[in-house]
Every structure is written in structure tokens, then in C-alpha cells.
Amino acid sequence: MMMTSDWAIILDEADELCEMIVSSEPAKMLQQAYDAVYSDVQIVEAIFAFNRMKEQYEDVQRFGKYHPDYHTIMKSIRQQKRALDLNEKVSALRIAENDFQDLLDQISLLIGKTVSEAVKVPVSNPFFASGSSCGGGCGSGGSCSCSA
């Protein structure tokens, strides 16, 4: 492929769009929430403990209720997940992640519709699925016919 002035303009505009996304309010909020979670030693330890428990959980899932530690591990992983879910910093991080994903979905839809109305754009939020050509089942095994 040969580089033309059109390609150079597109690349410059893509770089400008990236800078706008990185400097956006949702991106800043996401970075602040991420820093708040991962600068807290107790939360980081809880996340690592939860990840270790998830490995044990996956092992238990292979054998189901016949695993000797089935009830213990199932109860423990639910308790750890609930403790993380109820942590204010972790929940703020999840909200910030969702807000940032919504921004990316909106941008994807705008770019997709600029190219063609027939472009199928997978989105994570069902609210934006109506603006997409997809039926909201992208990537989730739904009835969407796109290859996302």
C-alpha cells in the first residue's frame, strides 16, 4: 500500500482523536479510580487473594460438588467477591470503566456510521445497541449476525 496525502491526513486525525480520548473526562476519572484502587495496599492484597481463590474455584468447577473443598471454596469466593464489590474504591473503578466504555462505544458508532449506515458496530451497552446495526448480541452468543 502506498502512502498518500489522504492516508497522512487520516493518520493525523486518528492521532488527534486518540489525544482527545486520553484527555477526556471519563479517561481522567478512570485513571484516578485506578490509581485509588491500586495504591491501596489492602485492596491490592484482597484482589490478589480473590484471584488465587478464582484459580481454586476453577479447579473445583472441573469436579463440581464432588470436589472435597467444594462448599468451602464456593462460600469463600462469594464472600471475597462481595467484599470487593462493596468497597467504595472498587465500585468507583467499575463505574469509571463503564463510563469510559460508553465513550468508546459512542465514538465507534460515530465512526462506523460515517463510513456506512450498514456497518455493524459491536457495543457493550444495550442503550447504544439501537444505534448500531447489530441486534445487541455481539460477542455474547446472541442473535447478532456480525462477526464481532
Side-chain angles (χ1 to χ4, degrees):
M1 173 170 50
M2 213 161 117
M3 182 60 109
T4 63
S5 63
D6 291 338
W7 279 108
I9 291 170
I10 290 172
L11 291 174
D12 288 341
E13 289 179 357
D15 287 340
E16 186 178 333
L17 177 61
C18 288
E19 286 299 320
M20 289 171 32
I21 291 170
V22 169
S23 64
S24 70
E25 189 64 27
K28 290 177 184 175
M29 296 301 292
L30 177 61
Q31 187 62 51
Q32 289 173 355
Y34 181 88
D35 291 342
V37 167
Y38 287 97
S39 64
D40 189 326
V41 176
Q42 291 178 333
I43 296 175
V44 170
E45 288 175 359
I47 290 171
F48 285 135
F50 179 72
N51 285 334
R52 285 190 302 273
M53 184 57 67
K54 274 188 358 184
E55 291 171 6
Q56 292 178 355
Y57 172 80
E58 290 168 2
D59 185 45
V60 165
Q61 289 302 305
R62 291 187 339 190
F63 301 104
K65 65 182 180 181
Y66 301 108
H67 191 282
D69 296 327
Y70 175 79
H71 295 292
T72 306
I73 291 174
M74 295 300 284
K75 182 178 181 180
S76 178
I77 198 160
R78 283 194 303 271
Q79 289 172 338
Q80 288 181 2
K81 181 172 181 349
R82 181 157 174 82
L84 284 173
D85 287 344
L86 293 177
N87 185 292
E88 290 180 24
K89 292 178 182 179
V90 173
S91 62
L93 177 60
R94 288 196 177 152
I95 290 170
E97 286 174 339
N98 288 337
D99 291 345
F100 188 67
Q101 184 62 50
D102 288 345
L103 172 69
L104 295 176
D105 288 345
Q106 289 174 355
I107 292 169
S108 297
L109 284 170
L110 285 171
I111 292 171
K113 295 303 175 190
T114 301
V115 172
S116 170
E117 286 294 321
V119 170
K120 295 183 178 183
V121 181
V123 292
S124 62
N125 188 338
F127 175 74
F128 297 118
S130 61
S132 171
S133 298
C134 295
C138 295
S140 62
S143 61
C144 183
S145 62
C146 74
S147 61

